[in-house]
Amino acid sequence: MTDPIQLTADLIRCPSVTPEEGGALTLLESLLADAGFECDRVDRGAVSNLFARWGPKGHDRSFGFNGHTDVVPVGDESAWTKPPFAGEIHGGTLYGRGATDMKSGVAAFASAAIDFVRKTPPDGAIILAITGDEEGDAVDGTTALLDYMQAQSEQMSACIVGEPTCPDMMGEMMKIGRRGSMTAWFEVTGVQGHSAYPHRAKNPVPAMARLMDRLASHQLDKGTDHFDASTLAVVTMDTGNPATNVIPAQCTGAVNIRFNDLHTGAGLSDWLTDEARLVAEEFGVNIRTRIKISGESFLTPPGPLSDLVARAVEAETGLRPELSTTGGTSDARFIKDHCPVVEFGLVGRTMHQVDECVAVDQILQLKAIYTRILTEYFS
């Protein structure tokens, strides 16, 4: 049997701070190849990715797992009470960067898949798509793997993303969708002048304040059946002006929007651009707008895949997981165009924190859940 705890510790010892591979994918490739998986490195740009398949190519029953081995930086290493890349176990808890997000998830589904095909070779295929670019720009990670799969006529029938999804207790929540995410940056340009003679200047600051207030005061919606209300947060306003007797020429600001399935990135972009135009006309200034859409809202409707995962989770934990769309973005936003996808993983309370850690019994539970899912799917 493949030990998911030891594999998690071994992966933690690979310093794979995004986009560095750090040896993590090399370790997994060797392990999976020894178990009979066909493995291909799908590296693109500075990013390393791994595609692994057991079973026939193009089978109509091809169950997939997706995850990432890259991790966020450790920050102030002196603040850690345990070495961030040592993978040490203390009192039943495994410590290290990536312990929760999400080397434990990768170790759980890799070990479950390896043991499953060795014990009960399925009628179908199991695909593991593992990236090194989830914590970074996510441009050359899972998207590169999906591009490769399309070019090679590889297909997943369904997929689980092994991100940590449970807020406090193992088994309490799974994700069946995610809100969309976008950021808009505004640059207001007026005319610099002396603060004692404001009529000789065009102050960009009141224009920016008006724009931010209009955006933040607008109710985007009241939520939908599976999503909370969309939110807009003002995240910065700045002039870079240290002088109190100078009206600055420019002011910058930005907002971040998390939106549900009532909206699209394009529709919200049009609204933001129109609001900026109205304020520019009102104040006689110029407003330049730049928008980045990180991901669209999506939903995998409750059905066979979510039911399958929920049954396995309840059997192993005693909890029926809540079907949720909360949180930030994940690589499921790319996979949803390829096949039905849900997310289920560990308790994520310490992800990205100092002394990131995971209870070792949770790793064993997660492997058991993934094994049960594979057993029922191929039965």
Side-chain angles (χ1 to χ4, degrees):
M1 301 293 287
T2 308
D3 183 357
I5 299 170
Q6 184 60 54
L7 181 53
T8 302
D10 290 341
L11 289 171
I12 289 172
R13 295 180 187 117
C14 299
S16 52
V17 177
T18 191
E20 296 297 324
E21 186 268 334
L25 293 178
T26 301
L27 170 63
L28 288 167
E29 182 178 7
S30 176
L31 191 68
L32 291 164
D34 287 346
F37 282 76
E38 294 185 32
C39 297
D40 284 302
R41 285 289 289 274
V42 188
D43 298 353
R44 190 165 79 182
V47 174
S48 299
N49 304 293
L50 176 64
F51 175 86
R53 173 177 41 80
W54 188 98
K57 178 179 179 179
H59 200 284
D60 60 0
R61 289 166 59 82
S62 299
F63 198 90
F65 290 95
N66 170 259
H68 65 91
T69 55
D70 62 316
V71 298
V72 297
V74 301
D76 181 6
E77 190 167 344
S78 66
W80 288 66
T81 63
K82 310 291 188 298
F85 295 114
E88 296 178 355
I89 297 175
H90 298 272
T93 300
L94 176 59
Y95 289 84
R97 178 57 85 220
T100 300
D101 188 13
M102 58 164 291
K103 290 182 173 180
S104 50
V106 172
F109 68 61
S111 59
I114 289 170
D115 290 351
F116 181 73
V117 300
R118 283 175 170 164
K119 182 180 179 181
T120 314
D123 178 19
I126 297 176
I127 290 174
L128 308 186
I130 307 171
T131 179
D133 186 36
E134 196 274 345
E135 301 290 5
D137 293 334
V139 173
D140 295 316
T142 293
T143 54
L145 286 162
L146 292 170
D147 289 345
Y148 165 85
M149 291 174 67
Q150 183 177 19
Q152 298 296 320
S153 298
E154 299 278 5
Q155 179 69 41
M156 295 184 291
S157 306
C159 183
I160 292 178
V161 178
E163 289 278 3
T165 58
C166 301
D168 297 299
M169 295 182 294
M170 187 65 180
E172 65 182 327
M173 182 177 289
M174 61 188 290
K175 308 285 186 178
I176 59 169
R178 292 280 188 162
R179 296 179 297 175
S181 175
M182 62 190 297
T183 301
W185 293 266
F186 303 96
E187 183 180 83
V188 181
T189 302
V191 176
Q192 183 173 321
H194 197 297
S195 60
Y197 305 93
H199 59 286
R200 296 177 180 172
K202 285 187 177 180
N203 195 336
V205 179
M208 179 63 77
R210 178 69 59 84
L211 177 60
M212 294 294 104
D213 178 62
R214 285 177 65 103
L215 298 179
S217 300
H218 179 76
Q219 184 180 60
L220 290 167
D221 56 71
K222 296 183 179 180
T224 67
D225 288 344
H226 294 287
F227 286 89
D228 292 336
S230 301
T231 61
L232 182 149
V234 177
V235 293
T236 184
M237 286 179 60
D238 184 49
T239 65
N241 176 30
T244 58
N245 60 347
V246 175
I247 293 172
Q250 289 184 326
C251 182
T252 60
V255 299
N256 181 261
I257 303 177
R258 302 301 171 111
F259 57 95
N260 60 33
D261 52 351
L262 291 174
H263 305 277
T264 64
L268 288 170
S269 296
D270 290 342
W271 170 65
L272 291 166
T273 302
D274 286 343
E275 288 294 308
R277 176 182 54 80
L278 291 172
V279 171
E281 292 173 355
E282 179 184 355
F283 285 84
V285 296
N286 177 266
I287 301 181
R288 185 168 66 91
T289 303
R290 179 170 64 91
I291 296 171
K292 179 182 178 182
I293 301 170
S294 300
E296 296 286 349
S297 169
F298 75 93
L299 178 73
T300 299
L305 180 56
S306 58
D307 290 345
L308 170 64
V309 175
R311 285 193 298 271
V313 172
E314 188 171 21
E316 294 294 336
T317 68
L319 297 177
R320 188 77 174 182
E322 174 189 352
L323 305 184
S324 173
T325 59
T326 58
T329 59
S330 76
D331 279 359
R333 70 188 190 273
F334 306 123
I335 299 169
K336 53 92 175 172
D337 293 325
H338 177 90
C339 68
V341 59
V342 300
E343 301 172 57
F344 181 78
L346 301 173
V347 174
R349 294 183 67 179
T350 66
M351 56 185 173
H352 294 200
Q353 293 185 4
V354 169
D355 282 343
E356 182 178 351
C357 60
V358 59
V360 295
D361 60 349
Q362 286 186 17
I363 304 176
L364 295 174
Q365 271 188 311
L366 188 59
K367 178 185 176 180
I369 290 167
Y370 291 154
T371 300
R372 188 177 286 272
I373 289 169
L374 289 172
T375 301
E376 182 174 341
Y377 181 81
F378 287 107
S379 65

